[in-house]
Amino acid sequence: MRTFLIWIFPLFLISETSITWGFYAHSLINRLAVFSLPEEMIGFYKPHIQYITENAVNPDRRRYAVEGEAEKHYIDLDYYGDSAMQILPKYWNEAVEKFSEDSLRMNGIGPWSAYFTFLNLTKAFESKNSASILRLSADLGHYIGDLNVPLHTTVNYNGQLTDQVGIHGFWESRIPELQAKDYPLWVGQAEYVEKPQLALWDAVAAAHAQVDSVLAIEKELTKNFSPDQKYSYEERNNLTVRVYSREFTEAYALALDSQIERQMKKSIKMIADFWFTAWVNAGQPDLSTFSKEVGEEEVIVTDSKIKVRDH
């Protein structure tokens, strides 16, 4: 039986200057997943924990720079109707045969894309490519995190169809930024995932089942807040911006009954499990012999021609 180390991880190590505003949750989730890895892996990951943390946001930055990236972050299950989980093939080739690749991409390919990233991570372990392992681990963490966000599974991804525009960033950014420091986010030891592809779909189904509550609770709560109570203004990077007020944020989080905390913990656990499973499937190579070099930082140049969903 493999032994595991339990590390104490102070959250204050994540400085605001090292994390782009709006991506706090992704960075925190990736960082904490490292501490669930077994001893044989954490010795490789922990020295690079800042890389794993900071590069958790690269897939989002890539959305505005790389054609075909945006659809990797979501899947509009309700586009396929109430029986989406029965209609959609879980395996990519079967899905393409049934719906065509263009149609699938138009409505999001999140679960399939995350699985391909997992397979590429396994290959990186097999080839002992340290730079690729770290880059793909950071990417996979982001994609798995996205699949656990209810609003990444629906056509009404930002409340634009129900007069709730802005709810996407509210749920996945504003609330974690204000409250995650108080969440007990230790999730235990990483475990082997027997069927990774199906596990991704299970996560999507569970997240999608919460879409109605995410939207309905916010709409009901809004009835009790006037606009000047619901929103406030804060200084961000020398700019005054409108945000959801702390009072409304706290009321919404309370009404959700720890939903966001649960989804963050689920993401952390899944990411650690998938990193661990990729390593096991690669034959459990001795990571202590791998190069400690991270490689060059990814250069991401925004392309104004690429249009993506506004969250």
Side-chain angles (χ1 to χ4, degrees):
M1 179 181 295
R2 271 182 290 278
T3 58
F4 289 79
L5 295 181
I6 297 178
W7 297 77
I8 303 300
F9 46 92
L11 297 186
F12 60 77
L13 289 178
I14 305 175
S15 68
E16 292 183 0
T17 58
S18 68
I19 297 176
T20 307
W21 184 261
F23 298 127
Y24 174 80
H26 272 304
S27 298
L28 178 61
I29 286 167
N30 261 20
R31 186 181 189 93
L32 297 187
V34 171
F35 296 96
S36 287
L37 295 174
E39 181 178 1
E40 298 94 329
M41 295 184 71
I42 201 168
F44 173 81
Y45 275 79
K46 194 167 183 290
H48 300 299
I49 195 168
Q50 199 62 22
Y51 178 94
I52 295 289
T53 300
E54 294 177 356
N55 287 274
V57 306
N58 277 1
D60 268 340
R61 294 171 57 214
R62 219 179 284 136
R63 289 168 60 226
Y64 304 93
V66 179
E67 196 74 47
E69 172 65 34
E71 57 261 36
K72 296 179 180 180
H73 297 244
Y74 67 93
I75 181 167
D76 293 338
L77 285 184
D78 38 14
Y79 169 82
Y80 300 94
D82 294 338
S83 302
M85 292 302 296
Q86 288 70 49
I87 293 171
L88 280 166
K90 306 303 183 291
Y91 303 100
W92 177 248
N93 290 341
E94 295 176 12
V96 169
E97 184 176 346
K98 184 171 183 177
F99 290 101
S100 86
E101 183 168 346
D102 286 345
S103 177
L104 292 170
R105 288 185 176 277
M106 184 173 63
N107 298 292
I109 58 171
W112 298 293
S113 179
Y115 182 67
F116 289 139
T117 303
F118 164 76
L119 293 181
N120 287 335
L121 176 59
T122 303
K123 293 176 183 177
F125 277 120
E126 291 173 342
S127 61
K128 301 183 179 181
N129 188 327
S130 297
S132 291
I133 290 169
L134 295 170
R135 175 177 57 80
L136 291 165
S137 293
D139 280 1
L140 181 58
H142 185 105
Y143 296 137
I144 287 176
D146 277 352
L147 295 180
N148 281 288
V149 174
L151 293 171
H152 278 263
T153 71
T154 176
V155 173
N156 192 21
Y157 55 88
N158 197 25
Q160 76 280 5
L161 303 180
T162 50
D163 194 27
Q164 295 173 278
V165 173
I167 193 172
H168 192 118
F170 181 37
W171 192 98
E172 74 170 14
S173 295
R174 178 67 169 166
I175 295 173
E177 286 160 1
L178 292 181
Q179 297 195 341
K181 65 182 182 300
D182 298 319
Y183 294 164
L185 293 176
W186 168 245
V187 297
Q189 302 168 351
E191 299 174 294
Y192 185 78
V193 182
E194 292 289 345
K195 298 179 179 179
Q197 202 156 4
L198 299 184
L200 291 167
W201 281 99
D202 287 344
V204 168
H208 188 64
Q210 301 174 69
V211 170
D212 286 348
S213 63
V214 169
L215 295 168
I217 290 173
E218 194 275 347
K219 186 171 281 291
E220 187 64 27
L221 191 63
T222 295
K223 296 177 182 178
N224 302 321
F225 285 76
S226 63
D228 64 318
Q229 293 174 319
K230 181 175 180 179
Y231 300 102
S232 61
Y233 292 88
E234 294 182 358
E235 293 293 323
R236 304 278 180 84
N237 299 321
N238 298 319
L239 295 175
T240 301
V241 296
R242 190 176 82 154
V243 297
Y244 289 88
S245 70
R246 288 178 179 267
E247 292 74 18
F248 187 79
T249 299
E250 291 170 0
Y252 182 54
L254 181 63
L256 286 174
D257 192 24
S258 302
Q259 181 191 75
I260 294 173
E261 176 188 330
R262 289 194 299 273
Q263 292 305 105
M264 286 185 70
K265 292 179 74 171
K266 184 173 182 178
S267 297
I268 293 166
K269 183 63 163 61
M270 275 193 73
I271 292 164
D273 288 351
F274 269 68
W275 289 347
F276 175 59
T277 302
W279 174 71
V280 171
N281 288 353
Q284 303 178 40
D286 183 356
L287 300 182
S288 67
T289 65
F290 284 25
S291 168
K292 299 300 188 292
E293 296 296 324
V294 176
E296 295 183 2
E297 290 291 326
E298 183 177 358
V299 177
I300 301 174
V301 181
T302 300
D303 184 347
S304 60
K305 296 178 182 179
I306 296 177
K307 304 301 180 184
V308 300
R309 292 181 170 186
D310 183 11
H311 293 166

